[in-house]
Amino acid sequence: MMDRTLMIGLMVGGALLIVAVVIILIFCCKRLRRRRRYDYTPLLEAQALPVKLRRERESERNSVREEALINCQFYLRSHSGKYSYVGSLPNMGTRLEKHWFLVRKLRESEDLIMNIWKGSPSCPVPFDGNSQLTIKELFRAISHPYIWTVVDLDLWEEQTLVISVQPYAKRGSLKDHIYGVSPEKYVEDKYGGVGRPLPTKELKLYGLQILQALIYLDEQGFPFHGNIHSGNVILQNRTCRLAGYENAFLGYNSHLHPVLDKYSKENMQLLDSLSFGHLMYEMSAGVVLTQAVPDRIQLKKCTAPGVKELLEYIFDVNGDYPTIRDISEHDFFVGVRLKKLEKTHPKQIQQTPAMKTIFKHVRRGRKPKSKGRHSSTRSKKTSSSYGSVEGRIPKSQSSSAQDATRRHSHVQEAETRMVTSIPPPPPPPPQPSTTDGKTEANIPQADSNRSALLSQIKKGKTLRKVEDPRV
């Protein structure tokens, strides 16, 4: 009996011991979990924050790319027999809403770039099929050795999308050449560092090639370019070919437009001149100009002979900015031979009435305030022009004239407001009764007097008190 009782006691004691050990283990596990949570989790989350942000950006970018890919394939299916899909390209340009795809014409092996992006709400031309045909005909008529061709352009009305097709340049743009990067990379991964300043020979050759392309467009009636930067210059075998001229017809501004608008006064031709100055600075310094006009410290980075004087000529301190033709005649470009231009004569564009109408739409869309200076009013310089005011109109005179005009307009507006703010006249007094024996002919004409009074008020005349002849 005692042995049985002892056995039962040992069993109960063992069970209690096991339960106690289990409770202790559970308690220790909870303590370790709590310590790990509060001691290590915030540190791991802090370390993973940049990774999470990068993944979120990639996810958002991929979703946008997928939508663009759907639009691309839908467009290709709806235009079957025209192009075939080859593959997608990363966002290689600075315009983030622009998507890049490789396509080919059927039964051809040449790769083409198809860009798809949303139509601009400020598009100066009607977004319809007639404008599409006219612009396409205009671009196909361009023939110049220093201008990049536009193979096709569609204004997709149903989706409000712009589709452009151009040849694919495997070596990329002038900007890729400056920074020594492959064009087939995302734009945020290409231009973060410092580029390589180009030698003087390339500066002169490439600069004059771009200028000649702009002069040709101006001679053919193009209002302006509006998007001059190194990313819109295709480089092939030491030949620069200007692209991006279609943006002016589609309502897309350059990223320099907000910066330079204060200096160009909405004159888009002068904006082209200042944008070309930014391009020459990037080519000569290897970095982007971070302000509208370079200062002396920034100009010291341009060590190539003659470049500093050229930039001082373009970014004139007195605001007397040259035209594109003026810049091409600067001494910096003297002696540069353009062999392709000597061999190939650019084709003149025969403007149709529809083309002239498109040009008018583009000009009106920009609403230029003033015309650019004539090239004959500007003299070429061979030395530094910083601080020189010879042969220019002082800013004080022009500003005083503008102030006088502004004051005159304010006075006119004030007079107009004064006239329009006069309260309506009171109703005419009741006609006097005829019980006093006076006839109706002796009663004054209230309507005619009131009309005369109103006409005098509108003319701004001072009213004088007139005695009533009846008194």
Side-chain angles (χ1 to χ4, degrees), residues 2 42 168 184 216 276 279 286 367 432 462:
M2 290 182 60
Y168 176 49
E184 296 184 4
Y216 170 80
F276 178 79
L279 173 58
K367 298 179 182 179
T462 305

Side-chain angles (χ1 to χ4, degrees), residues 61-62 65-66 68-69 72 85-93 96 98-103 111-116 166-170 182-187 190:
R61 184 169 59 188
N62 290 335
R65 292 284 297 171
E66 288 175 1
L69 178 60
C72 175
Y85 177 79
V86 177
S88 299
L89 292 173
N91 188 3
M92 302 186 296
L96 298 180
K98 199 172 187 177
H99 304 284
W100 304 69
F101 302 97
L102 271 181
V103 297
D111 289 337
L112 302 172
I113 282 187
M114 174 178 285
N115 291 123
I116 297 180
Q166 293 179 299
Y168 176 49
K170 294 183 179 180
S182 172
E184 296 184 4
K185 288 185 178 180
Y186 283 102
V187 62
K190 293 197 293 185

Side-chain angles (χ1 to χ4, degrees), residues 60 69 122 132-133 154 236 258 263 279 285 320 328 338 364 386 391 435 443 445 453 464:
E60 182 179 359
L69 178 60
S122 59
Q132 169 187 316
L133 293 176
D154 274 351
Q236 281 187 327
Y263 296 87
L279 173 58
D320 190 20
S328 69
L338 302 177
R364 290 173 183 173
Y386 244 67
T435 56
I443 299 175
Q445 299 294 329
L453 179 63
R464 57 187 178 85

